[in-house]
Amino acid sequence: MHNLVKWLIGLVLVIALVLFMAGMYFFHVAQVRDPQADQPDALRSKENPLYHYEHTFLARPKQTWHETSKDGLKLVAWYVPADKKTNKTAVLAHGWHNNKTSMAIYGELFHELGYNVLIPDNRAHGDSQGKMIGYGWLDRRDYIQWLNQVITKNGQNSDIVMYGMSMGAATVLSTSGESDLPKQVKAVISDSSYTSLWDETKHEAGDMYNLPWFPLVPVVSGISKVRAGYFYSEASPLKQVAKSTRPTLFIQGGADTFVPTQMVYPLYHALHAPKALWIGKGSKHVQSFNDHPVEYRERIQKFLMQYDR
């Protein structure tokens, strides 16, 4: 009996060690800065429907803005003034393992719609400092600072729209639910946000790795709390959207399996403010603009004409 107890204790310790090691591996993959995220994106070919947007914006003169996060990280952003002086500014948020160059196509879209454009590198991406990826949760406080910098530089009469794709969509939705969101933020556009990092990680455990989510996801989430300062359940655009008062356009690809299409519906229903929803027919993750460039622009323009006149 004594030997059986020792054997069982040993087995439990081995399982716990294996779980911890697996958790550390997946935490590193998901949340520790990847040097590849610091590199500019490969540019689109002339055959790509978004070639004009990307190459035109990247050729535009840019100012470099700086911000220091509350935890001391030096953050960097591009700022491109509109061709005609305006109080309207679009603040754009990029996705996981991307950087500001990834947002050139969206930067040009908003520039052509008459907006100044600010594109930060999120913490742990691009030219910004940081080792731990924030998944929109840590970033939401950084974006409050960026928004206030826009207001400081461009004036109290600033009119601001926030746009984000993928993790950037989670970022702008999470920012929109903050109690100190500046009143100058008039509207939000989210392309392909997850409901929460917990939900997304559960999905990816099965979809990408063919693993059961339990007990691995709770282990990784616990490591995140110790290393990065938040549980995966805390990083919840869904909870933040429920607190938002801003008109929001939700976009999702109809064939998205990375952030499943169905995640957009709880987000849409959680918002108690003016809202619109568009599903890009047949589009995979953040491919609605590429697949439907004319309609994508028209949907955004129509939404802004209604809520950001």
Side-chain angles (χ1 to χ4, degrees):
M1 187 70 173
H2 180 69
N3 288 337
L4 178 61
V5 171
K6 289 175 62 177
W7 183 84
L8 288 173
I9 291 174
L11 179 62
V12 169
L13 290 175
V14 168
I15 293 173
L17 180 60
V18 170
L19 268 176
F20 176 74
M21 292 175 64
M24 287 296 291
Y25 169 78
F26 285 111
F27 170 80
H28 190 275
V29 169
Q31 271 175 274
V32 176
R33 184 183 195 126
D34 181 351
Q36 291 185 356
D38 305 339
Q39 305 303 315
D41 281 3
L43 298 185
R44 291 166 171 81
S45 67
K46 290 185 176 181
E47 292 71 31
N48 189 286
L50 302 181
Y51 173 87
H52 155 75
Y53 286 97
E54 181 175 62
H55 287 254
T56 303
F57 188 80
L58 290 176
R60 291 187 182 281
K62 301 172 186 65
Q63 300 173 17
T64 301
W65 286 17
H66 299 88
E67 189 62 73
T68 301
S69 69
K70 296 300 183 183
D71 52 348
L73 299 177
K74 302 298 183 183
L75 307 176
V76 177
W78 278 343
Y79 179 78
V80 177
D83 286 337
K84 294 182 180 180
K85 187 174 178 59
T86 180
N87 67 335
K88 291 181 178 291
T89 301
V91 178
L92 315 185
H94 64 73
W96 180 71
H97 284 187
N98 295 147
N99 57 53
K100 53 190 178 296
T101 65
S102 309
M103 302 304 289
I105 56 175
Y106 309 104
E108 183 61 19
L109 187 157
F110 282 94
H111 190 273
E112 291 180 5
L113 293 178
Y115 286 78
N116 307 310
V117 177
L118 180 72
I119 311 178
D121 277 333
N122 282 23
R123 55 174 60 212
H125 293 80
D127 294 321
S128 291
Q129 292 182 341
K131 294 182 179 179
M132 298 298 160
I133 296 172
Y135 279 100
W137 187 243
L138 301 180
D139 310 283
R140 79 196 195 284
R141 297 309 309 169
D142 301 337
Y143 273 75
I144 291 292
Q145 292 181 233
W146 285 120
L147 294 169
N148 284 325
Q149 185 173 163
V150 170
I151 296 164
T152 298
K153 290 183 174 179
N154 291 357
Q156 288 295 318
N157 69 333
S158 290
D159 180 309
I160 301 173
V161 170
M162 292 192 298
Y163 170 95
M165 63 92 158
S166 194
M167 186 187 79
T171 299
V172 298
L173 292 181
S174 295
T175 306
S176 74
E178 292 295 279
S179 60
D180 58 345
L181 182 74
K183 64 182 181 180
Q184 289 84 351
V185 175
K186 304 301 182 184
V188 178
I189 302 172
S190 163
D191 185 342
S192 306
S193 176
Y194 40 80
T195 48
S196 71
L197 186 53
W198 177 267
D199 293 340
E200 179 62 13
T201 308
K202 284 175 62 177
H203 168 72
E204 293 304 338
D207 189 62
M208 289 187 68
Y209 297 101
N210 293 313
L211 293 172
W213 71 269
F214 185 86
L216 186 58
V217 172
V219 170
V220 180
S221 177
I223 294 170
S224 173
K225 183 64 175 179
V226 173
R227 295 283 305 279
Y230 62 94
F231 287 117
Y232 284 4
S233 57
E234 291 180 78
S236 175
L238 183 64
K239 293 177 183 177
Q240 292 293 100
V241 163
K243 297 185 288 183
S244 175
T245 61
R246 300 308 196 272
T248 302
L249 170 60
F250 297 90
I251 300 171
Q252 202 89 5
D256 195 343
T257 57
F258 187 76
V259 176
T261 305
Q262 60 265 28
M263 281 195 182
V264 75
Y265 299 107
L267 291 168
Y268 177 80
H269 292 300
L271 179 67
H272 302 293
K275 53 192 174 183
L277 171 64
W278 178 54
I279 305 297
K281 185 177 181 181
S283 294
K284 296 183 178 180
H285 189 57
V286 295
Q287 292 302 302
S288 297
F289 191 16
N290 183 84
D291 298 341
H292 313 281
V294 174
E295 185 174 8
Y296 194 96
R297 178 178 176 133
E298 288 176 347
R299 293 273 181 172
I300 287 177
Q301 188 170 17
K302 179 182 177 182
F303 177 78
L304 294 177
M305 287 178 64
Q306 186 171 2
Y307 296 110
D308 188 39
R309 296 175 182 174

